[in-house]
Amino acid sequence: MGESSRRIEDGFHRAGNRVLLFLGRQHRLDRPSYRLENTLSFVFNAFGARRDRVANILNGVWLGHPVHPPLASLTSGAIGTTVALDTLSLLPGRPRSELLDASRFARRSLGVGIVANLASAVTGVADWQHTHEQDRRIGLVHGVLNLLATGLYLQSWRDRRGGRHLRGIAASAIGYGITTGSGFLGGALVFGSGIGLDQSGARLRLTEWTPVAAMANLADGAPTRVEVDGVGLVLCRNGESVSALGGYCPHLAAPMGDGWLDRGRLVCPWHGSQFDTATGEVVRGPAAAPLPCYQARVRNGTVELRDGAPHPVGSGRNREVHPAPIRHIPEEATR
């Protein structure tokens, strides 16, 4: 039994990989995807001065992570409830009152699923426009499948209201099957490619002030990359003050040392996310999670850091707190 189960699992795993590889190689999807991206840019620009606020809402800056996954879960749960109630309503030998109740509640949960799916589509498109190559192609198919499923849910809603319950049940069941397949693609993007995950990397754990660089070696008004305990950071000098932030953008791990400073903000070089240099908080998406931020001071011409900020509980990237070890500072850093 165990061997048979492993063979089935391996078969599903190989089949899933083949699907992802096939979709990732479909270069013909690039032209329509970039046309869609241009359309989205036009729509966002139409908001004028409110563009960044709207984008931040859709990207989940206010939540600390993308909004699309929880909305997609709500959609799946609501439609799954609809399918379960539809199944109950088709069971023979049930009292008519129970069948009517199941049918009525199925239509209500279907309505919730439709609204959640539409909201999920809007937030998903906002996340998708910042993907590239294979991820962009897979994401486009993911979105098209969800759009098709939404059409079936709407048709099911109309059929149910028109008294065509069997047709409505069939439409929502087919749509739910498509949503399930689309969910596999979405899961591959999240857990395989890290879309929507915090990719800012490891955090430092320094309980004592630790020297990391000479002030004279930092360019004024530009980020400078340094490495401490194998963790990449950027130091941002502004006159005689310095701030220290994580070295990789939480969005897709862009090297923040290649970014630039703009009015007290550190700008991601890939997708334009902006972070407050004093706190690491997101000022503009598509990044939703803040950039790691550390306390910094200048002492005798040397920049020193320590970890004075709270960190999320359960982050697998975080290290345990430990006393700062003695570090060797390059000779040129002390001149």
Side-chain angles (χ1 to χ4, degrees), residues 98-118:
E98 290 187 10
L99 299 180
L100 291 175
D101 288 341
S103 179
R104 182 171 64 255
F105 285 116
R107 191 173 68 193
R108 292 177 180 176
S109 62
L110 177 62
V112 173
I114 291 172
V115 173
N117 207 26
L118 292 173

Side-chain angles (χ1 to χ4, degrees), residues 302-325:
T302 300
V303 178
E304 298 180 344
L305 303 182
R306 74 176 179 183
D307 179 21
H311 294 266
V313 175
S315 173
R317 299 180 178 84
N318 294 350
R319 299 184 178 188
E320 295 180 356
V321 176
H322 58 80

Side-chain angles (χ1 to χ4, degrees), residues 31 65 132 173 203 236 246 290 305:
R31 178 174 295 181
H65 62 74
H132 303 280
R203 270 69 162 169
C236 302
L305 303 182

Side-chain angles (χ1 to χ4, degrees), residues 25-159:
R25 294 177 182 142
Q26 300 308 303
H27 296 276
R28 70 187 72 180
L29 298 176
D30 291 344
R31 178 174 295 181
S33 69
Y34 283 110
R35 286 180 176 174
L36 177 57
E37 181 187 8
N38 290 336
T39 302
L40 292 173
S41 297
F42 176 80
V43 171
F44 278 115
N45 290 335
F47 286 98
R50 291 175 293 179
R51 179 190 187 281
D52 289 349
R53 181 178 299 179
V54 172
N56 286 349
I57 291 174
L58 296 179
N59 290 136
V61 173
W62 56 277
L63 190 60
H65 62 74
V67 189
H68 177 68
L71 287 175
S73 298
L74 177 58
T75 300
S76 181
I79 303 300
T81 300
T82 300
V83 173
L85 290 172
D86 286 341
T87 303
L88 178 63
S89 69
L90 294 176
L91 293 177
R94 308 295 298 182
R96 180 173 176 79
S97 60
E98 290 187 10
L99 299 180
L100 291 175
D101 288 341
S103 179
R104 182 171 64 255
F105 285 116
R107 191 173 68 193
R108 292 177 180 176
S109 62
L110 177 62
V112 173
I114 291 172
V115 173
N117 207 26
L118 292 173
S120 176
V122 173
T123 55
V125 166
D127 293 340
W128 169 86
Q129 67 175 328
H130 301 291
T131 58
H132 303 280
E133 297 180 341
Q134 291 92 343
D135 293 337
R136 171 170 289 240
R137 297 163 194 151
I138 294 172
L140 182 63
V141 176
H142 170 70
V144 170
L145 289 176
N146 280 341
L147 186 62
L148 177 59
T150 302
L152 288 169
Y153 297 147
L154 289 170
Q155 183 61 47
S156 175
W157 173 267
R158 288 192 292 266
D159 287 337

Side-chain angles (χ1 to χ4, degrees), residues 145-327:
L145 289 176
N146 280 341
L147 186 62
L148 177 59
T150 302
L152 288 169
Y153 297 147
L154 289 170
Q155 183 61 47
S156 175
W157 173 267
R158 288 192 292 266
D159 287 337
R160 292 167 192 264
R161 286 185 62 86
R164 298 180 293 273
H165 296 290
L166 290 179
R167 283 182 54 180
I169 289 174
S172 58
I174 295 172
Y176 188 61
I178 295 174
T179 296
T180 302
S182 175
F184 165 74
L185 301 181
L189 291 174
V190 173
F191 300 108
S193 299
I195 305 298
L197 300 181
D198 182 350
Q199 299 193 49
S200 55
R203 270 69 162 169
L204 283 175
R205 289 292 183 265
L206 303 174
T207 58
E208 300 176 5
W209 288 108
T210 304
V212 295
M215 186 69 165
N217 292 341
L218 304 183
D220 195 359
T224 302
R225 187 184 185 281
V226 298
E227 188 171 298
V228 181
D229 273 1
V231 178
L233 308 174
V234 288
L235 302 179
C236 302
R237 178 178 178 179
N238 183 15
E240 296 304 313
S241 63
V242 178
S243 55
L245 301 166
Y248 298 96
C249 181
H251 179 224
L252 287 177
M256 298 304 294
D258 294 338
W260 60 92
L261 296 176
D262 179 20
R263 294 168 296 175
R265 303 173 181 180
L266 179 59
V267 183
C268 171
W270 287 2
H271 302 111
S273 295
Q274 298 181 8
F275 304 89
D276 189 322
T277 56
T279 64
E281 294 297 323
V282 181
V283 178
R284 174 183 176 182
L291 200 60
C293 186
Y294 304 92
Q295 292 183 347
R297 71 180 184 184
V298 181
R299 188 176 185 184
N300 298 326
T302 300
V303 178
E304 298 180 344
L305 303 182
R306 74 176 179 183
D307 179 21
H311 294 266
V313 175
S315 173
R317 299 180 178 84
N318 294 350
R319 299 184 178 188
E320 295 180 356
V321 176
H322 58 80
I326 298 176
R327 292 175 178 76

